[in-house]
């Protein structure tokens, strides 16, 4: 019997990475290759504010975005010679999308639409003046990788591997681009993404300008919600730009765990983990990451208002907990 709020994903062999007919597929998603994963349970939705609050109430946990910043630790992941910012800037906070941007100089400079907001965290997603009152059913955001791991440890769960995440997103299928099939025309009715001109005009044709409550759209073929759009989802795999090109794709790869080292040429000093599924900010003109194979790297020690997570558990993990009890 499945744990409450979780869906069984049967063991399967499928195509991980770029699909042959995917116009938007990026080099980091290539080549597509056969993968086999063992069965597991996965959350039917992202972890919500309500669920994360239960964890915090039970443990007293403080997220990374709520903790004082230690410059001696931070500078280890920065290029040599970077000067320490003024103490007034080294305050707890997180990244939020700039909703008031009305023009951009170049699409190559994403700092134009991201703001470091002191006081932004999971309880105050837009800054200290905001709150999550009435938003129990929204995905929790502003969680760093280590925050997600702490939740998983408490809940007897773990983060999915990238392969497990894609297996779950495929549902009953093995080679589709989107969680509903291959038709991009269904995007606005099946996922919370950006419509209009990114990042200056959002026409909200899908019903939501920014983040949406869980289960606002139909689930995939096995009952899993919101795997595309809304918020990116953390996985346990390290992000390595060229990892797929190092694989032996002549036969299925069994239960892959991802690259041994993180590498992003655009952020070489940071350890990054793979995030999947895209978010409410994804648009065809920019990242087009509203696809199963899409992925990005995300620094292990930071969060933002468009990144959350869901968890998995295996039968072996459940059995081990039962024996301990």
């Amino acid at each position: 019997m499945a744990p409450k709020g979780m869906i069984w994903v049967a063991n399967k062999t499928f195509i991980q990475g770029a699909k042959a007919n995917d116009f938007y597929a990026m080099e980091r998603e290539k080549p597509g290759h056969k993968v086999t994963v063992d069965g597991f349970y996965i959350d039917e939705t992202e972890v919500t504010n309500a669920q994360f609050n239960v964890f915090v109430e039970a443990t007293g946990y403080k997220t990374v975005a709520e903790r004082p910043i230690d410059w001696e630790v931070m500078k280890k992941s920065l290029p040599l010679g970077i000067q320490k910012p003024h103490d007034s800037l080294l305050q707890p906070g997180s990244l939020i999308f700039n909703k008031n941007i009305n023009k951009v100089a170049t699409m190559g400079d994403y700092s134009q639409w991201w703001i470091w907001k002191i006081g932004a965290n999971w309880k105050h997603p837009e800054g200290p003046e905001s709150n999550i009152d009435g938003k129990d059913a929204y995905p929790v955001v502003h969680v760093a990788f280590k925050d997600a791991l702490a939740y998983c440890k408490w809940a007897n769960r773990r983060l999915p591997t990238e392969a497990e995440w894609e297996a779950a997103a495929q549902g009953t299928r093995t080679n589709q681009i989107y969680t509903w099939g291959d038709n991009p025309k269904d995007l606005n009715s099946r996922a919370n993404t950006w419509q209009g001109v990114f990042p200056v005009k959002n026409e909200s044709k899908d019903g939501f300008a920014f983040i949406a409550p869980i289960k606002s759209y139909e689930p995939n073929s096995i009952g899993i919600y919101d795997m595309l759009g809304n918020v990116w989802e953390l996985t346990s795999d390290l992000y390595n730009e060229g990892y797929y090109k190092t694989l032996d794709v002549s036969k299925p790869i069994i239960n892959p765990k991802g690259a041994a080292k993180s590498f992003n040429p655009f952020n070489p000093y940071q350890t990054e983990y793979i995030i999947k599924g895209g978010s409410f900010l994804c648009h065809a003109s920019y990242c087009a990451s509203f696809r199963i194979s899409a992925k990005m790297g995300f620094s292990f020690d930071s969060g933002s208002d468009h990144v959350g997570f869901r968890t998995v558990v295996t039968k072996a993990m459940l059995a081990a907990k039962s024996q301990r009890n």
Side-chain angles (χ1 to χ4, degrees):
M1 183 175 181
K4 184 179 179 181
M6 302 193 86
I7 300 292
W8 175 248
V9 181
N11 63 297
K12 67 189 299 182
T13 298
F14 67 99
I15 302 299
Q16 181 179 12
K19 309 304 181 286
N21 57 336
D22 185 359
F23 172 79
Y24 295 113
M26 301 180 187
E27 281 304 307
R28 59 178 174 257
E29 303 166 33
K30 300 175 181 178
H33 51 281
K34 282 188 177 181
V35 162
T36 298
V37 295
D38 294 334
F40 58 94
Y41 295 101
I42 190 167
D43 292 332
E44 63 178 347
T45 72
E46 297 103 345
V47 174
T48 64
N49 286 324
Q51 291 170 318
F52 199 78
N53 186 63
V54 172
F55 157 64
V56 169
E57 290 290 325
T59 63
Y61 184 82
K62 294 288 186 183
T63 61
V64 170
E66 299 172 275
R67 303 175 195 173
I69 294 175
D70 186 332
W71 171 247
E72 294 304 312
V73 173
M74 176 183 282
K75 71 179 184 181
K76 292 178 182 178
S77 60
L78 297 173
L80 293 175
I82 294 291
Q83 296 298 307
K84 179 183 177 183
H86 191 274
D87 287 343
S88 63
L89 300 176
L90 287 176
Q91 300 297 319
S94 191
L95 286 171
I96 65 171
F97 178 71
N98 179 9
K99 297 178 179 178
N100 298 315
I101 188 170
N102 53 35
K103 64 179 180 179
V104 294
T106 170
M107 291 299 290
D109 181 9
Y110 56 81
S111 66
Q112 296 169 100
W113 53 86
W114 286 110
I115 301 170
W116 175 259
K117 186 73 171 181
I118 293 174
N121 56 55
W122 76 275
K123 292 183 291 187
H124 306 286
E126 296 182 50
E129 71 286 350
S130 65
N131 58 60
I132 54 173
D133 293 350
K135 294 185 176 181
D136 281 356
Y138 282 67
V140 66
V141 292
H142 295 298
V143 283
F145 184 78
K146 58 181 65 176
D147 301 327
L149 291 187
Y151 177 94
C152 286
K153 182 178 180 180
W154 169 79
N156 188 42
R157 301 290 188 264
R158 62 172 172 80
L159 291 174
T161 65
E162 183 185 20
E164 288 172 334
W165 192 97
E166 290 200 19
Q170 286 286 339
T172 58
R173 304 184 188 183
T174 60
N175 193 26
Q176 61 186 11
I177 297 173
Y178 309 100
T179 54
W180 57 85
D182 291 336
N183 190 352
K185 294 182 179 179
D186 292 337
L187 179 64
N188 290 349
S189 63
R190 298 298 297 263
N192 180 20
T193 60
W194 187 283
Q195 298 85 48
V197 181
F198 182 83
V200 297
K201 183 181 180 181
N202 191 350
E203 297 174 352
S204 308
K205 293 178 181 178
D206 56 13
F208 297 94
F210 301 104
I211 195 169
I214 60 169
K215 298 186 178 182
S216 292
Y217 301 86
E218 292 181 37
N220 75 351
S221 56
I222 58 173
I224 307 174
Y225 291 86
D226 305 318
M227 294 199 81
L228 300 184
N230 213 26
V231 296
W232 285 97
E233 300 181 11
L234 292 161
T235 73
S236 61
D237 287 19
L238 289 167
Y239 178 81
N240 189 305
E241 188 87 0
Y243 172 61
Y244 282 179
K245 290 179 171 56
T246 70
L247 298 175
D248 176 5
V249 298
S250 63
K251 56 186 177 180
I253 302 168
I254 312 298
N255 294 320
K257 305 298 184 185
K261 290 185 178 181
S262 167
F263 179 67
N264 182 346
F266 301 103
N267 194 14
Y269 299 97
Q270 277 281 4
T271 297
E272 294 186 344
Y273 285 85
I274 292 172
I275 52 177
K276 299 287 289 183
S279 77
F280 58 83
L281 297 177
C282 283
H283 186 264
S285 69
Y286 185 60
C287 74
S289 292
F290 36 66
R291 299 168 294 107
I292 293 174
S293 64
K295 59 181 170 182
M296 289 181 62
F298 194 69
S299 297
F300 79 100
D301 58 353
S302 62
S304 84
D305 62 357
H306 77 326
V307 175
F309 70 106
R310 76 177 75 215
T311 72
V312 303
V313 68
T314 64
K315 290 180 178 179
M317 291 169 66
L318 293 173
K321 181 179 180 181
S322 178
Q323 290 177 358
R324 290 195 300 269
N325 294 339

